Amino acid sequence: MADLVETLSNVILESSEAVLRAHGACPRPQVHILAEDMDQPYVGFVTCRLFYRGADAASALAGLGLFPSVLMATRLLVVWEDCDLRTALELPGDSFATGMVILDAGLDQHTLNWHPFDVEVGGTSPHGIPTVIPHWGTPARYEKVQLLAPVAELLEVWREFRHEDIQETAIKLQEAGYEFDMVTR
């Protein structure tokens, strides 16, 4: 399982860099879903819906816990760009450090993996938007660190296994704007 989590983390970081370079934007928060009791434990991922700053951002993030809860997933990788999320949540402060966070969460523990980066403004995308080139710093790992309230709520939602219809839940989330990318078996 450790190899799978490491591979997923590397893919997440590579795809995040590609989005930054191509579009000059941070990827939206995501939750990657694992079922450790299956032969092929990677289920897929859900991308957060678009949101407004403040309470809507917090609600959207917490909503990422619903689908894995219905699936009764045993492990999640929750991914976000920290500066972007803190800004969206309207947390106090003038500026925040840029970095991709990959939170590796089990049913009773979590480890926050911090991947800081500085940005250099790159060229202009085909859509006329400035792109950025990330320069990665030294990653760090934090066990059982206190989480932002909406991230902690996401984990609480997930850990309360729901006995709801999987398809109906997926449809409701898709109608709300969440995007799914599930593994085909």
Side-chain angles (χ1 to χ4, degrees):
M1 184 59 66
D3 289 344
L4 174 60
V5 169
E6 183 178 344
T7 299
L8 280 172
S9 296
N10 290 335
V11 169
I12 290 165
L13 291 173
E14 289 170 11
S15 63
S16 298
E17 180 167 340
V19 169
L20 287 164
R21 286 180 177 270
H23 304 289
C26 301
R28 283 186 275 156
Q30 301 174 344
V31 62
H32 293 258
I33 304 166
L34 296 121
E36 295 170 301
D37 54 339
M38 294 175 59
D39 289 340
Q40 297 176 4
Y42 185 65
V43 176
F45 67 96
V46 180
T47 301
C48 195
R49 67 173 171 81
L50 297 174
F51 48 77
Y52 295 102
R53 286 184 176 197
D56 188 51
S59 174
L61 195 65
L64 281 171
L66 287 172
F67 194 65
S69 173
V70 172
L71 290 178
M72 297 185 186
T74 59
R75 193 165 180 178
L76 301 181
L77 294 180
V78 185
V79 181
W80 69 91
E81 196 288 314
D82 203 55
C83 177
D84 191 53
L85 184 60
R86 287 175 184 272
T87 301
L89 293 172
E90 297 181 324
L91 297 180
D94 293 332
S95 65
F96 305 105
T98 52
M100 291 303 301
V101 176
I102 302 175
L103 180 70
D104 182 359
L107 294 173
D108 59 359
Q109 52 72 33
H110 63 267
T111 302
L112 188 142
N113 296 285
W114 170 246
H115 301 274
F117 62 88
D118 292 320
V119 293
E120 172 188 339
V121 177
T124 304
S125 76
H127 305 289
I129 300 169
T131 61
V132 295
I133 301 166
H135 297 285
W136 297 96
T138 304
R141 188 178 159 91
Y142 304 97
E143 302 284 336
K144 299 179 185 176
V145 66
Q146 183 173 348
L147 302 171
L148 296 172
V151 176
E153 186 177 350
L154 181 163
L155 296 182
E156 288 174 24
V157 167
W158 159 54
R159 289 171 175 155
E160 294 174 7
F161 289 155
R162 290 164 169 67
H163 300 283
E164 298 172 15
D165 185 85
I166 294 170
Q167 188 171 3
E168 285 179 22
T169 302
I171 290 168
K172 286 179 189 175
L173 289 169
Q174 285 177 317
E175 288 173 347
Y178 293 87
E179 297 173 18
F180 288 74
D181 192 345
M182 297 291 119
V183 172
T184 304
R185 305 223 185 265

